[in-house]
Amino acid sequence: MAKSKAEGQLAKLGLVLPSPPPAVGAYVTVVRTGDLIVSSCRLPWQGRRLRHTGKLGDPLTVEQGYEAAKICALNALAQLKTALGSLDKVRQIVRLEGYVHCGPGFRQHPQVLNGASDLINAVFGERGRHTRTALGIHEMAL
C-alpha cells in the first residue's frame, strides 16, 4: 500500500507512525461526530514505556518536554489514521491542547508544546495550523 502524503512528510522527518496506544482508563481514545474527530489525552508512549516521566523544570528540561510533546503528537496522528484510514483525509487540525507536568516556577509551557505544534504543522502544512492551549499541571497520572 502506498504511503499517504502526510506519511510521506513523516518519513522525510525520519518518523514512522507507531501503533496507536490504548486508553489507560475508562474512556475511548477517539470520538467522531459528523466530520469532527476529537482525540483523548496522549502521553509520550514509545512502545510499552513512557519515554519521559517526571516534571518539567525538575528534573526534565524544556528540550525533553519538547520531545515528549512531539511523541504525544505522533501518537495522536496514529489514532487519527486508525479512525480515518488515511491521514490525507484530515481537512484541518482545529485545536491542540497540552497539559505540561511541571514543577513550581516552570513557565515555558508554550516552548514545550511547540514540539507537538511543529510536528503537526510539518506534516499537514496549512491544514495543520491550529489554535492551542498550553497549561502547566502540578500533578498528573503516570
XYZ file of all heavy atoms in Angstrom, residues 19 25-26 34 38-39 42 47-50 52 54-55 60 63 69 82 92 103-104 107 119 122 130 138 140:
201
model
N 2.037 2.062 16.434
C 0.699 1.542 16.710
C 0.076 2.488 17.723
O 0.752 2.935 18.651
C 0.779 0.141 17.315
O 1.329 -0.755 16.382
N -7.539 4.257 30.850
C -8.632 4.413 31.803
C -9.952 4.069 31.149
O -9.997 3.481 30.058
N -11.021 4.470 31.801
C -12.381 4.158 31.346
C -12.880 5.219 30.364
O -13.805 5.977 30.654
C -13.317 4.039 32.548
N -20.047 13.392 13.117
C -20.075 14.034 11.803
C -18.677 14.046 11.213
O -18.001 13.024 11.161
N -12.452 14.080 17.760
C -11.791 14.566 18.965
C -11.047 13.386 19.564
O -11.609 12.301 19.713
C -12.816 15.130 19.983
C -12.111 15.610 21.244
C -13.620 16.261 19.356
N -9.774 13.607 19.881
C -8.994 12.520 20.474
C -8.733 12.809 21.942
O -8.724 13.958 22.375
C -7.674 12.319 19.724
O -6.829 13.419 19.919
N -3.036 12.212 25.048
C -1.921 11.387 24.583
C -0.776 11.556 25.558
O -0.501 12.648 26.037
C -1.435 11.837 23.199
C -2.420 11.635 22.096
C -2.604 10.156 21.765
N -3.922 9.749 22.177
C -4.235 8.587 22.712
N -3.354 7.671 22.922
N -5.456 8.306 23.055
N 6.249 2.414 22.338
C 6.021 1.014 22.645
C 5.221 0.914 23.934
O 4.198 1.561 24.091
N 5.740 0.152 24.868
C 5.024 -0.057 26.133
C 5.597 0.760 27.284
O 5.279 0.517 28.441
C 5.033 -1.541 26.473
C 4.282 -2.373 25.434
C 4.326 -3.854 25.718
N 3.807 -4.231 27.009
C 2.530 -4.520 27.271
N 1.656 -4.445 26.289
N 2.151 -4.881 28.472
N 6.473 1.719 26.967
C 7.035 2.534 28.062
C 6.890 4.012 27.774
O 6.869 4.445 26.614
C 8.482 2.160 28.322
C 9.489 2.787 27.399
C 10.919 2.458 27.857
N 11.883 3.132 27.028
C 12.396 4.331 27.294
N 12.051 4.986 28.366
N 13.275 4.882 26.470
N 6.783 4.769 28.843
C 6.752 6.224 28.712
C 8.172 6.718 28.483
O 9.085 6.370 29.237
C 6.167 6.877 29.966
C 4.674 6.717 30.150
C 4.249 7.216 31.522
C 3.933 7.468 29.066
N 9.409 9.844 28.634
C 9.833 10.801 29.663
C 8.817 10.785 30.795
O 7.619 10.844 30.564
C 9.916 12.220 29.092
C 10.940 12.381 28.015
N 12.291 12.383 28.265
C 10.816 12.531 26.683
C 12.952 12.539 27.129
N 12.072 12.623 26.154
N 8.313 12.468 34.942
C 8.825 13.490 35.840
C 8.260 14.836 35.471
O 7.387 14.967 34.607
N 8.752 15.858 36.128
C 8.235 17.205 35.945
C 9.204 18.063 35.154
O 10.420 17.972 35.323
C 7.971 17.864 37.301
C 6.871 17.165 38.077
C 6.579 17.882 39.370
C 5.459 17.146 40.101
N 5.042 17.876 41.288
N 13.228 17.322 34.384
C 13.231 17.361 32.919
C 13.485 18.762 32.372
O 13.031 19.762 32.923
C 11.892 16.834 32.379
C 11.541 15.397 32.758
C 10.147 15.044 32.265
C 12.572 14.419 32.218
N 13.901 20.890 26.482
C 14.179 20.065 25.308
C 13.549 18.679 25.445
O 12.989 18.146 24.479
C 15.692 19.945 25.074
C 16.360 21.245 24.670
C 16.592 22.232 25.833
O 16.531 21.825 27.028
O 16.812 23.414 25.542
N 6.339 16.111 23.853
C 5.164 16.652 23.152
C 5.132 16.164 21.709
O 4.056 15.863 21.170
C 5.180 18.183 23.215
N -5.924 5.555 12.413
C -6.785 4.414 12.727
C -8.254 4.788 12.528
O -9.028 4.017 11.971
C -6.536 3.931 14.162
O -5.176 3.479 14.259
C -7.470 2.800 14.549
N -8.486 19.625 8.390
C -7.929 20.707 9.205
C -7.728 20.204 10.622
O -8.607 19.569 11.182
C -8.885 21.915 9.233
C -8.365 23.107 10.002
C -7.163 23.752 9.324
O -7.217 24.037 8.128
N -6.107 23.989 10.073
N 7.124 21.461 37.541
C 7.411 21.834 38.909
C 7.112 23.303 39.159
O 6.796 24.056 38.229
N 7.218 23.720 40.411
C 6.949 25.117 40.774
C 7.846 26.080 39.991
O 9.033 25.818 39.773
C 7.295 25.176 42.266
C 7.230 23.760 42.742
C 7.606 22.909 41.566
N 7.549 28.012 33.612
C 6.647 28.847 32.834
C 6.865 28.712 31.318
O 6.386 29.514 30.553
C 6.828 30.313 33.222
C 6.588 30.582 34.694
C 5.760 31.785 34.924
N 5.558 32.231 36.267
C 5.256 31.530 37.345
N 5.186 30.238 37.275
N 5.055 32.078 38.516
N 5.438 19.514 14.810
C 5.231 18.272 14.074
C 3.943 18.335 13.256
O 3.944 18.015 12.063
C 5.189 17.076 15.019
C 4.919 15.737 14.321
C 6.023 15.398 13.332
C 4.731 14.628 15.333
N 4.426 20.566 10.293
C 5.319 19.981 9.289
C 4.614 18.889 8.485
O 4.846 18.756 7.286
C 6.570 19.411 9.970
N -3.347 25.431 13.770
C -4.365 25.158 14.773
C -4.349 26.199 15.884
O -3.364 26.918 16.056
C -4.111 23.769 15.387
C -2.707 23.623 15.910
N -1.670 23.201 15.102
C -2.166 23.857 17.124
C -0.550 23.183 15.805
N -0.831 23.575 17.043
N 0.496 20.629 38.082
C 1.460 20.235 39.106
C 1.477 18.722 39.338
O 2.538 18.141 39.582
C 1.164 20.974 40.416
C 2.162 20.691 41.490
N 3.481 21.043 41.393
C 2.033 20.041 42.667
C 4.133 20.656 42.472
N 3.275 20.045 43.253
N 0.022 14.888 37.769
C -0.634 14.171 36.682
C -0.477 12.671 36.894
O 0.491 12.234 37.517
C -0.008 14.565 35.333
C -0.263 15.995 34.931
S 0.541 16.429 33.370
C -0.509 15.595 32.214
